């Protein structure tokens, strides 16, 4: 049996269309236009692409996007000053500081400086704590996208065994909290986990977020499992160029899983769609409608 391929590009498109409809209503009825500030420090080429894509996606759904670029030599004090201004600016409903930051800037100080109500990445400790407590919050985009992709094929996750491979603050920890909230029995595996293949073989839902190309092999997958591949790894291709692969060996896994996300076209497109949704939610919260 080959797995159902979960189409993240199609789901992202419908989420974006929903955000665009709500945004048009908000502007028509209340005269409010959601604004997202994206801050880029330095010249990391991948970050430049991500920031450009985020700002283009904002414009497509009718948001105002504000891209703020600081040189790689910018100090933490300068960045904190910019965040303070954005926190005060009523036209800016969401603030996203693209990570990673240059080594001399403390990531955690910067995340802590963003007002939690404008923290559309959901990385502020207040939002992380609210998520862990089961309270309404702005939640990280990639984990939110993973949950929507699982629900496409498994609307009721109650009692399922979920394994999250990776314990980052951006993906592993928050997605584990969301799976728990959906009544899964959750295990978080990481680099010190013993016998990862055996842990994987127990999982009805497997989330791979480790950043190692094709690390999870097909025979680790429980037959019929739902596999969500968060990895985006660039590797050499046969033709001398490069290609993107996930953290799961897709060609093997597709023969065992019940449903699986491809790379590209799975989790990736959902991240920006959820960022747009979060920005709309932040706008509603700041306007007193949520
Ligand atoms: N760098 C890689 N992923 C992300 C993300 O989701 N948000 C931010 N701000 N930076 C990132």
């Amino acid at each position: 049996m080959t797995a159902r391929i979960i189409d993240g590009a199609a789901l992202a498109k419908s989420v974006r269309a929903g955000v665009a409809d709500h945004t048009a209503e908000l502007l028509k009825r209340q005269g409010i236009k959601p604004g997202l500030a994206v801050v880029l420090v330095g010249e990391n080429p991948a970050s430049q692409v991500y920031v450009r894509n985020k700002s283009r996606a904002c414009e497509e759904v009718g948001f105002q996007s504000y891209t703020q670029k600081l040189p790689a030599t910018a100090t933490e004090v300068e960045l904190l000053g910019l965040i303070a201004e954005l926190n005060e600016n009523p036209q800016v409903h969401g603030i996203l500081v693209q990570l990673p930051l240059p080594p001399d800037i403390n990531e955690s100080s910067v995340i802590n400086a963003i007002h939690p109500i404008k923290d559309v990445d959901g990385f502020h400790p207040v939002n992380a704590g609210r998520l862990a407590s089961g309270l309404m919050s702005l939640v990280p985009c990639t984990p939110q996208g993973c949950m929507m992709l699982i629900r496409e094929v498994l609307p009721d996750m109650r009692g399922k065994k979920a394994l999250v491979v990776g314990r980052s603050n951006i993906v592993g920890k928050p997605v584990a909290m969301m799976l728990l909230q959906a009544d899964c029995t959750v295990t978080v595996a990481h680099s010190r986990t013993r016998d990862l293949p055996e842990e994987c073989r127990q999982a009805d839902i497997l989330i791979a977020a480790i950043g190692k190309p094709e690390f999870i092999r097909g025979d680790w997958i429980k037959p019929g499992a739902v596999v969500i591949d968060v990895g985006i790894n660039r590797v050499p291709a046969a033709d001398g160029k490069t290609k993107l692969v996930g953290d799961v060996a897709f060609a093997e896994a597709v023969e065992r899983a019940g449903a699986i996300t491809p790379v590209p076209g799975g989790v990736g497109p959902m991240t920006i769609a959820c960022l747009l949704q979060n920005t709309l939610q932040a706008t509603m919260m700041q306007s007193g409608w949520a």
Side-chain angles (χ1 to χ4, degrees):
M1 189 191 81
T2 51
R4 175 173 164 191
I5 310 295
I6 313 173
D7 187 347
L11 182 57
K13 196 171 166 197
S14 84
V15 171
R16 285 159 75 141
V19 172
D21 287 350
H22 273 106
T23 302
E25 276 295 289
L26 195 60
L27 187 61
K28 195 169 85 185
R29 290 176 193 268
Q30 314 288 347
I32 296 169
K33 190 175 176 115
L36 174 66
V38 181
V39 181
L40 175 62
V41 186
E43 322 237 300
N44 179 319
S47 292
Q48 285 175 327
V49 174
Y50 292 140
V51 165
R52 207 175 314 130
N53 289 344
K54 285 170 187 177
S55 110
R56 191 176 308 145
C58 279
E59 274 145 30
E60 277 170 20
V61 294
F63 293 177
Q64 188 66 49
S65 114
Y66 306 91
T67 303
Q68 306 272 351
K69 291 187 179 165
L70 295 181
T73 52
T75 63
E76 187 174 311
V77 170
E78 283 169 322
L79 179 55
L80 294 177
L82 173 59
I83 292 171
E85 276 173 35
L86 296 169
N87 279 339
E88 291 300 316
N89 185 340
Q91 322 259 50
V92 171
H93 303 95
I95 303 169
L96 180 151
V97 179
Q98 187 65 31
L99 304 177
L101 290 167
D104 290 342
I105 299 184
N106 184 303
E107 221 161 79
S108 165
S109 310
V110 170
I111 291 169
N112 286 356
I114 299 171
H115 194 294
I117 208 170
K118 296 193 177 187
D119 168 39
V120 286
D121 260 328
F123 295 164
H124 193 287
V126 164
N127 285 320
R130 291 184 65 90
L131 172 62
S133 306
L135 299 170
M136 214 262 301
S137 62
L138 286 165
V139 300
C141 303
T142 302
Q144 206 180 330
C146 292
M147 295 304 289
M148 291 167 82
L149 291 163
I150 300 169
R151 280 200 197 93
E152 282 286 287
V153 291
L154 198 61
D156 182 1
M157 292 171 227
R158 280 178 296 180
K160 299 289 183 193
K161 284 194 173 173
L163 177 71
V164 180
V165 189
R167 55 175 156 180
S168 70
N169 289 339
I170 294 184
V171 183
K173 284 181 205 161
V175 85
M177 291 302 151
M178 292 179 204
L179 288 161
L180 200 52
Q181 195 67 36
D183 294 329
C184 292
T185 301
V186 184
T187 303
V188 181
H190 46 77
S191 53
R192 298 280 182 267
T193 294
R194 270 182 248 146
D195 204 349
L196 181 62
E198 195 45 42
E199 291 291 344
C200 291
R201 287 187 194 108
Q202 309 285 323
D204 304 307
I205 299 169
L206 174 61
I207 314 267
I210 30 182
K212 292 188 185 167
E214 300 180 321
F215 186 75
I216 293 178
R217 309 311 306 186
D219 66 349
W220 301 10
I221 310 265
K222 179 177 177 179
V226 176
V227 177
I228 305 294
D229 192 347
V230 183
I232 302 179
N233 308 289
R234 193 165 283 284
V235 296
D239 60 4
K241 296 186 184 157
T242 63
K243 62 174 181 172
L244 291 181
V245 298
D247 291 348
V248 178
F250 183 86
E252 297 170 13
V254 79
E255 299 299 330
R256 299 256 298 195
I260 186 167
T261 59
V263 177
V267 175
M270 291 302 294
T271 299
I272 290 193
C274 292
L275 171 67
L276 299 172
Q277 233 179 20
N278 275 359
T279 304
L280 183 61
Q281 186 191 335
T283 308
M284 306 283 276
M285 293 191 304
Q286 284 157 63
S287 312
W289 283 292

